[in-house]
Amino acid sequence: MTKSTEYSESGSPIHRYGERQHEWRPPEYGEEKWVEKIEEHVTRYIGEIDSVYHEIISDVVHIDVFFIKPTPERNYYTLITTGMSFMPMNTPEGAEGCEYAELMICLPPDWPIQEDLENPDHYWPIRWLKMLARFPHDYDTWLGWGHTMPNGDPAEPLSQQTGMSGIILLPPIEVDEDFITLDMGDGRTVSFYAILPLYSEELDFKLKHGSDPLLDKFDEHGVNEILDLKRRNTCEDG
């Protein structure tokens, strides 16, 4: 693996990764009780798991995706990974307790989630969940609060249906606060992060000013983890 580090105007490190260098290796599977605890946690706080998008061929870690259907209380699909937390991430000094994580994304109730996944405009949320869940283990790094990733360099739109071209990881806000972390009972804790798509101006703003000023803009405009392909660009005016 090749990796170079630069620093943004806000002082945050920018890591650039080359091609993954290691060969394919058999995936890690979670302990049975570990997987059961995640399933119980998701069911308790989000809702009944309707189906699972099973990974057929895995490398490094086995990543599945839980599907939770819309309900009157949560009128949107919720997709949550299981597998990213099967291995600890390589967290730096100062990020102790952040070694284990899973990811989620919330999609509108009319998203063709199980009808036309051959269409990249419909499949990209699943692809990003799986890619990001495997990324820290592929590159011996970590992902956590406030981390961003562009869709390529230069960044391109995530799909033909939106101008957003990258993502940020944040704790979900449309959940019970107790959902955000899961104490596994053995000294390890799993954190749950939502994937929020960003416009290029928002990516640039975050690099220049940091995460907190961007989150202030999100609060001002009511941006949360429920995907809105046409939402307002909160940094359109700089």
Side-chain angles (χ1 to χ4, degrees):
M1 175 202 70
T2 58
K3 171 184 171 181
S4 62
T5 302
E6 306 166 12
Y7 289 88
S8 69
E9 291 184 54
S10 68
S12 299
I14 302 173
H15 303 299
R16 300 185 186 277
Y17 295 88
E19 291 296 319
R20 190 184 70 170
Q21 297 298 307
H22 70 73
E23 299 293 330
W24 179 91
R25 63 178 187 260
E28 291 280 343
Y29 291 87
E31 308 157 24
E32 185 176 351
K33 289 185 178 180
W34 186 278
V35 177
E36 287 177 358
K37 277 180 175 279
I38 293 177
E39 290 181 356
E40 291 170 0
H41 186 72
V42 169
T43 301
R44 178 180 180 184
Y45 289 106
I46 304 298
E48 183 178 350
I49 299 168
D50 179 70
S51 58
V52 182
Y53 187 91
H54 289 285
E55 191 167 66
I56 305 302
I57 300 176
S58 302
D59 182 13
V60 185
V61 285
H62 180 84
I63 307 294
D64 289 333
V65 179
F66 294 151
F67 286 68
I68 297 92
K69 284 184 174 180
T71 64
E73 296 75 27
R74 294 175 58 85
N75 189 29
Y76 39 86
Y77 285 101
T78 305
L79 279 58
I80 304 177
T81 64
T82 179
M84 183 178 181
S85 65
F86 291 173
M87 293 173 61
M89 295 183 287
N90 183 19
T91 52
E93 185 177 352
E96 293 81 7
C98 300
E99 296 88 352
Y100 300 91
E102 297 289 353
L103 306 176
M104 63 182 288
I105 193 168
C106 297
L107 305 176
D110 59 351
W111 195 276
I113 193 81
Q114 294 170 309
E115 300 168 12
D116 188 17
L117 290 182
E118 296 297 321
N119 186 333
D121 284 338
H122 301 157
Y123 180 71
W124 69 264
I126 300 174
R127 181 173 65 84
W128 270 80
L129 282 175
K130 289 163 61 68
M131 181 270 288
L132 289 170
R134 184 169 278 109
F135 182 86
H137 306 305
D138 277 343
Y139 291 97
D140 194 28
T141 185
W142 74 298
L143 291 174
W145 189 97
H147 287 185
T148 54
M149 186 177 292
N151 184 32
D153 186 12
E156 299 180 353
L158 295 166
S159 81
Q160 298 182 72
Q161 300 173 327
T162 184
M164 291 184 280
S165 58
I167 64 92
I168 187 170
L169 297 187
L170 295 171
I173 60 176
E174 299 296 319
V175 297
D176 187 299
E177 187 176 348
D178 289 338
F179 169 74
I180 296 173
T181 56
L182 170 58
D183 183 351
M184 301 305 283
D186 59 1
R188 295 179 288 180
T189 299
V190 176
S191 299
F192 291 84
Y193 297 104
I195 295 175
L196 277 70
L198 298 180
Y199 290 98
S200 59
E201 292 85 358
E202 293 170 337
L203 281 164
D204 292 342
F205 183 89
K206 186 263 183 181
L207 290 176
K208 185 175 182 179
H209 301 287
S211 297
D212 287 342
L214 178 61
L215 295 187
D216 289 341
K217 287 181 174 288
F218 282 2
D219 288 341
E220 180 183 348
H221 296 287
V223 176
N224 59 23
E225 68 266 23
I226 305 168
L227 177 64
D228 179 358
L229 293 173
K230 306 296 184 183
R231 74 165 175 83
R232 178 172 177 172
N233 182 342
T234 65
C235 297
E236 197 166 25
D237 301 323

